Amino acid sequence: ATWIFSGDESRRRAAGTLRFSGDKSTPQVHAELDTRVLAVSVSPGFDNSAVQFALEHADSQIKALVLRLYGTGNLCSAKRDFIEVLERATARGVVVVATTQCQTGSVMLGHYAVGAALEEVGAISAADMTLEACICKLSYLFGRGDLSNEEISRLMPVSLRGEVTPAEDLPPPPFSERFGALNVETRRR
């Protein structure tokens, strides 16, 4: 059983989709994993200097940073300096992925202002992927050795083995209708 890209090379690069080919009862082990992935849980008042050092140190070989954020993909709005660290990291080719610390739910980076700022600097959503699934997926995709960072970023929301729910099947975030109605009512005043 192997994963293959659908379509020809030009369509593969444009679509960035994978499909499974083969018998599911005969798994194939992919031992070439690239585990240069750093995972960080964000907490109120966290000091981002350690993350900055890890990403910007001259000897840093980190390929991806996985952030465990609040709710739908948020962190303290006063952390503009951290957003700038992430912007520099993505400019250097580090893939930044946002996961949630919540037991259920999904990261929706554009849902709130801080999440939108993360999206603007190049962070990508892990949707409802667990931290472990996200790290394994990144390690596998980097370990293949034949994918660019852009292709890896496009593949993160694609379910390879059921590790992520397709976006169209995700429920809306809790209270989204209520908050939308409150925002409309507030703007009318």
Side-chain angles (χ1 to χ4, degrees):
T2 58
W3 288 99
I4 61 171
F5 280 97
S6 60
D8 60 20
E9 182 66 18
S10 61
R11 281 188 26 214
R12 174 178 77 96
R13 295 206 182 272
T17 58
L18 287 176
R19 65 181 168 89
F20 182 72
S21 173
D23 181 5
K24 288 185 181 181
S25 64
T26 312
Q28 180 180 359
V29 176
H30 296 275
E32 297 299 320
L33 301 178
D34 189 333
T35 58
R36 292 178 284 180
V37 178
L38 175 64
V40 176
S41 286
V42 175
S43 59
F46 81 100
D47 180 359
N48 51 281
S49 61
V51 176
Q52 181 176 358
F53 181 81
L55 292 171
E56 296 180 355
H57 189 273
D59 294 333
S60 178
Q61 295 184 15
I62 294 172
K63 289 192 166 192
L65 173 65
V66 180
L67 297 171
R68 292 190 67 221
L69 302 173
Y70 319 134
T72 60
N74 291 293
L75 58 103
C76 177
S77 60
K79 285 291 194 181
R80 184 64 209 163
D81 56 335
F82 186 59
I83 301 287
E84 292 168 1
V85 168
L86 299 178
E87 184 173 29
R88 289 192 301 272
T90 57
R92 282 192 318 280
V94 174
V95 175
V96 176
V97 182
T99 64
T100 182
Q101 295 177 21
C102 298
Q103 294 296 319
T104 61
S106 178
V107 171
M108 300 172 144
L109 288 179
H111 196 66
Y112 295 107
V114 176
L118 289 167
E119 198 170 43
E120 286 174 20
V121 299
I124 56 174
S125 170
D128 64 346
M129 242 186 299
T130 64
L131 174 67
E132 297 81 5
C134 188
I135 292 170
C136 288
K137 187 172 190 173
L138 285 164
S139 297
Y140 163 70
L141 293 173
F142 279 117
R144 287 176 52 111
D146 65 342
L147 300 172
S148 69
N149 284 9
E150 293 78 25
E151 289 170 313
I152 290 170
S153 294
R154 282 197 308 267
L155 287 170
M156 287 306 290
V158 175
S159 178
L160 303 180
R161 283 297 220 179
E163 74 282 2
V164 62
T165 305
E168 61 272 7
D169 294 337
L170 288 171
F175 307 113
S176 59
E177 290 178 13
R178 175 185 259 176
F179 285 124
L182 287 174
N183 287 338
V184 169
E185 185 63 32
T186 303
R187 279 185 241 133
R188 286 184 190 156
R189 291 181 189 168

